[in-house]
Each structure stands twice: as structure tokens, then as C-alpha cells.
Amino acid sequence: MPLTTGPEADPRPDRPVALIVVILIFAAIVSSFEATMMYTALPDIIEQFKTTPSGAGWVLTGFMLVGAISAAISGRLGDAYGRRNVLIVVLLTSLIGSIVSLASDSLGWLVAGRSIQGLAGGLVPLCVGILRETVPRKNLPVAVATVAGAAMWGGASGNIIAGNIVDAWGWQYVFVVAMVVAAVGAVGAFFLPGQTVKARLGRVDWFGGILFAPGIALVLYGIHESGSWGWSNGKTIGFVVGGLAVLALWIVWELRVDEPLINIRFFLNRKLGLMLVATALVSVGTLGVSGFVGQLVWQSPESAPVGLGLSAGTAGAMSFGIGLIGFALSPLSGRVSRNGRSYNALIIGTILGIAAALLSTLLLGTVAGFLVSQIVLTGATGFLLSALPNLVVEGVPEANTSEASGVYMVTQTAFAAVGTSIGTVLLSRHLVPGTSFSTRAGYNQLFLMVAIATAAALVAAWLIRRGSLKGAGARPQAATAVVEAV
């Protein structure tokens, strides 16, 4: 597929850089706010619909799966038709999802509305592409890290805003805030500069762009229902095997298409491939589990095997305060990532992620102890969410930034859905009979899964570092390697 190469001129935007960054910070906040705003509401949803953590988890999983599709489609179309234009469309469509969710009176309709809202998952790769095109190169790592950090702050604000709304009026009214935020973001996006560098699109690979999501959904549904059906049941095997078959078909299809919507050929490049593997692993572990588990621990009653008895508003405030720490660390991650050394920030993030999982297991019984583990977890999240987009920027030509960022976001969002699904299943397998509360053993298994996945990501990050040091003199431009691989 065609890639634009050659030296890149330092961008000269027709809008102040500060204004561009502020607008994109707000757009990133919309994405992360909508991703996390149901975390604090999850205990109430479980109670209202008389379901298990596994059943209520589809409110999160549905959002993530559609978010993965949106990341793929939005990034690719943004490269060709203008990132600002696609950004506006995604924001407005997300607003429609909030309306459907607000009007829902069943778990099924709520999942449907949240799935539509999940189109917001395409906002971050568009933001990264706009930054790449408009911000001077010397300021780009810090700008990307700041926008990524703002996304994490937006996720934390989703917790505190949603928590207080849940306490005062109920979880349904969280979607009113989401509607307003999306509308304001869309208006702000009109003030962004138009795109100057565009990739040739050709025929749109719609089939390949969406086929992976049903495959993942079939596998996850089989995993979800394995608790009641059993692993040896034909239905469980049928869903899991069928989903894997769909994923295999998707891989074959995307490798045969000249211009795939999700360019999995990026995996063939050593640095980008390792970065995407690390993304998948930290998404299953640190990024995929942290949000909903924290809220369950904060809000479950003290009479439960694991629970600290906080209200939704108090739990959201705790998460918000902790999230500010992660936001403050994001520029530090950007500085660590300067001069093509984002792998160092990734290594720091994975080490902190492992430490957070271990501390969560050891300090689960007290508010102060769990607070310490969550602060470490937020530090890990700040470094990870800043390092990974910068690794994308270091590895691809400007015209394909959104496309590569889309592949990154697809990987992150899809595997976060996998991690969330597996996490809720583990907790549901260890419920106290007659309740929706999990035992300590369920949480221990969950944190062990996070630690193992994040440790594997640390290995991938170290391999990126070794490869970068080896090739520093022989291959100064990462774009060349991508061209050869693709």
C-alpha cells in the first residue's frame, strides 16, 4: 500500500498551537470520559438489573469493541478525507449513543446505546494525527503526551462526575453530561485547521474493518457463558472456536487486501510489531482491568469479602484525585520519550504496572493500602498511555500517522475488552452464593493475570529497546523500516 516518505517539513499551523492542543485535549477527554463513566455506575447496574459482574461487563465490553472498529475506520478515513471532518462526525454520532442509553429501560438497550457511544474510541488516533500535522517536531512528544495524559484525566473526571450523579439522581443521568460534552467537543473541532497532507484511500475495505469485532465478540461470549454452560459444553466450544475461525478469516483477508482498513502488516515491522504486542498485553492487564476493579473494591460494602464501603461519589472523587497524579506525570513521560526513546517510558510503565498488581493483592483490605496501589497504578497508566502513541509517531511517515494510530487504538481497545471480559468472568466464578460479591480468591486471580500480562509486556518493551540500540547507527529513520515491511 502507498506510504508517503521523505523528509517532513516542520508544520506551520494557521491556528495557534496552544489552541489546537486545547481543542484536542477536550476531544480526548470526550473519548476517555465516555469510556470510564460507567465504572462508578457498575455496582448500581448490577443491582438494578439483577445481573452478575460478567453480565454487567457488557456495558463496558460493547463500548470497547465498537471503539476498536471506530479506531480503525476513523484513523484510515481521517488520513484521506480530513481528520477534523471525521473528528466532528465521530463526536456527533457518539452523542446519539448517549441519547439511546439515556432512554434505555433494559440491560440490552443500555448495551446497545453504549455500543453506539463507543464510536468515540476513534477520537484519539485522529487527535494524534492532527498533532503530527500541526505541531512543530521539537514540541511533538510533549504535545502527544499531554493530550494522552488529558485523556487519562478525562477518564478520572468520568469517575467523579458519574459517581456524584449516581448518588444524586441515578446512573441514567450520566448520559446527559456525556451528551453535552460531545456537543461542545464537536463545536470546538470546527476551529481546528484543515488537513494539508492526505494519503490516497482507494477502495475502502469495510469488510476487513469490522470483521474482527464479531470474531472477538463470539470468543468473549463463549468465555462469559462458560460459567453456566461449562467449558466442555458444545455451545461454549462452538462460540469460542467459531470466533477464532472468524478472526483467522479476518487475518487472511487483511493480508490479501492492497489497502486494508486495519493494516496488520505493521506487525511485520520489528519495532512497531513489538510495540503492538506490548499494547495488547498491557491492555489485557493494566489498562483493561484497572478501572472497573477499582470501583468495585471502593464501592462494595465492608460486609463483602472484598469491599471498602465507599459511596459512588466518594469513590469517584478518589479516582479523580489519583488521576490528576497520572496527568501530572504525562509530560515527564514525554520528556523521557524525547530523541526516539519512548521505549524507556514504556519500560517504566510496565514495571509500575507489575508493582501495582502486586500491591493491590497485598493491600486490598484497607482504604489507605488500596489507595497506595491505585496511585502506583495511575503512574503506570500515565507512562503507558504516553509512551505507546509516541512509539507510533516515531515509527511511521506523517501521512500515515492516523492509520498507524488506528491500528494501535484497535489493538488497545480490543484487548482491553478482552481483559475486561476475562476479569469480570474471573470475579463471577468466585461469587459468594446468593450475592453479586466476589471472594478474595477471585480478586487474587485477577491481579495475578494482570501481573503476568504486564510482565510479558515488559519483555516486549526491553526487546524494542535492544533493537533500537542495535539499529541506531544503521537505520536512523524508522519510516524506512515500515516501508520495507509493508
Side-chain angles (χ1 to χ4, degrees):
M1 82 183 289
L3 291 174
T4 302
T5 59
E8 299 173 12
D10 212 19
R12 298 181 180 276
D14 56 1
R15 303 283 193 280
V17 171
L19 175 64
I20 294 171
V21 172
V22 168
I23 293 173
L24 295 179
I25 282 176
F26 197 87
I29 287 174
V30 172
S31 175
S32 57
F33 173 81
E34 294 184 351
T36 62
M37 69 184 200
M38 286 290 99
Y39 287 163
T40 51
L42 205 61
D44 280 24
I45 292 172
I46 292 173
E47 181 179 352
Q48 177 171 333
F49 294 111
K50 308 301 179 186
T51 186
T52 64
S54 168
W58 282 104
V59 173
L60 308 178
T61 303
F63 180 95
M64 293 177 185
L65 287 177
V66 175
I69 297 175
S70 179
I73 295 175
S74 300
R76 188 72 179 95
L77 296 183
D79 282 340
Y81 296 128
R83 293 153 189 157
R84 179 189 64 181
N85 299 334
V86 179
L87 190 76
I88 294 170
V89 171
V90 169
L91 285 165
L92 293 177
T93 310
S94 171
L95 189 152
I96 295 173
S98 296
I99 295 174
V100 174
S101 300
L102 177 62
S104 64
D105 58 359
S106 67
L107 183 60
W109 274 109
L110 177 59
V111 171
R114 283 283 290 166
S115 298
I116 298 172
Q117 195 184 45
L119 289 169
L123 293 174
V124 172
L126 291 168
C127 290
V128 172
I130 293 171
L131 286 173
R132 178 72 179 271
E133 186 180 12
T134 57
V135 175
R137 280 174 291 178
K138 66 178 182 178
N139 304 120
L140 186 58
V142 174
V144 171
T146 301
V147 171
M152 187 173 62
W153 180 84
S157 68
N159 286 323
I160 188 172
I161 294 172
N164 284 284
I165 292 176
V166 169
D167 283 345
W169 300 297
W171 57 265
Q172 293 90 340
Y173 291 92
V174 178
F175 291 100
V176 175
V177 177
M179 290 164 55
V180 173
V181 171
V184 173
V187 172
F190 277 100
F191 293 92
L192 291 169
Q195 187 165 339
T196 58
V197 178
K198 296 183 180 181
R200 182 173 62 83
L201 183 63
R203 183 178 180 181
V204 180
D205 174 35
W206 298 112
F207 181 73
I210 65 174
L211 185 61
F212 74 95
I216 294 176
L218 288 172
V219 173
L220 294 183
Y221 187 77
I223 294 174
H224 270 277
E225 298 301 324
S226 64
S228 56
W229 293 344
W231 280 108
S232 60
N233 186 279
K235 291 187 291 185
T236 301
I237 296 173
F239 274 102
V240 172
V241 173
L244 292 175
V246 172
L247 290 174
L249 173 63
W250 169 69
I251 292 173
V252 172
W253 175 273
E254 291 296 80
L255 289 175
R256 296 183 64 181
V257 174
D258 290 335
E259 297 188 21
L261 209 53
I262 303 175
N263 189 2
I264 62 175
R265 294 182 181 91
F266 282 122
F267 279 92
L268 301 178
N269 171 260
R270 185 183 185 280
K271 183 175 181 178
L272 287 174
L274 286 171
M275 183 276 293
L276 292 170
V277 169
T279 299
L281 291 167
V282 298
S283 297
V284 168
T286 302
L287 302 180
V289 171
S290 57
F292 82 89
V293 171
Q295 290 304 314
L296 288 178
V297 173
W298 290 126
Q299 294 185 53
S300 293
E302 294 181 274
S303 58
V306 175
L308 299 174
L310 303 183
S311 67
T314 303
M318 296 282 280
S319 296
F320 177 77
I322 296 169
L324 290 180
I325 298 174
F327 179 61
L329 287 174
S330 296
L332 174 60
S333 175
R335 293 181 182 277
V336 172
S337 299
R338 281 179 171 174
N339 300 319
R341 297 182 181 273
S342 296
Y343 48 78
N344 285 332
L346 179 58
I347 289 173
I348 294 172
T350 53
I351 292 173
L352 290 175
I354 296 168
L358 297 177
L359 288 172
S360 296
T361 303
L362 298 173
L363 305 176
L364 201 56
T366 65
V367 172
F370 193 63
L371 177 62
V372 170
S373 71
Q374 294 300 287
I375 290 174
V376 175
L377 174 64
T378 300
T381 304
F383 271 89
L384 292 173
L385 291 182
S386 300
L388 293 169
N390 273 319
L391 282 168
V392 173
V393 170
E394 292 171 6
V396 297
E398 179 180 343
N400 299 94
T401 300
S402 286
E403 179 190 15
S405 297
V407 175
Y408 154 66
M409 285 302 301
V410 167
T411 304
Q412 178 189 317
T413 309
F415 280 91
V418 172
T420 299
S421 181
I422 294 174
T424 55
V425 168
L426 287 175
L427 294 180
S428 296
R429 285 180 175 274
H430 293 83
L431 294 179
V432 175
T435 75
S436 60
F437 305 125
S438 299
T439 64
R440 184 66 177 259
Y443 283 94
N444 287 343
Q445 287 188 13
L446 182 59
F447 291 127
L448 177 61
M449 179 199 75
V450 172
I452 292 173
T454 310
L458 173 59
V459 174
W462 184 256
L463 291 174
I464 293 174
R465 181 179 185 275
R466 287 182 61 84
S468 297
L469 292 176
K470 282 182 180 180
R475 194 175 295 273
Q477 292 186 353
T480 305
V482 178
V483 173
E484 293 176 355
V486 178

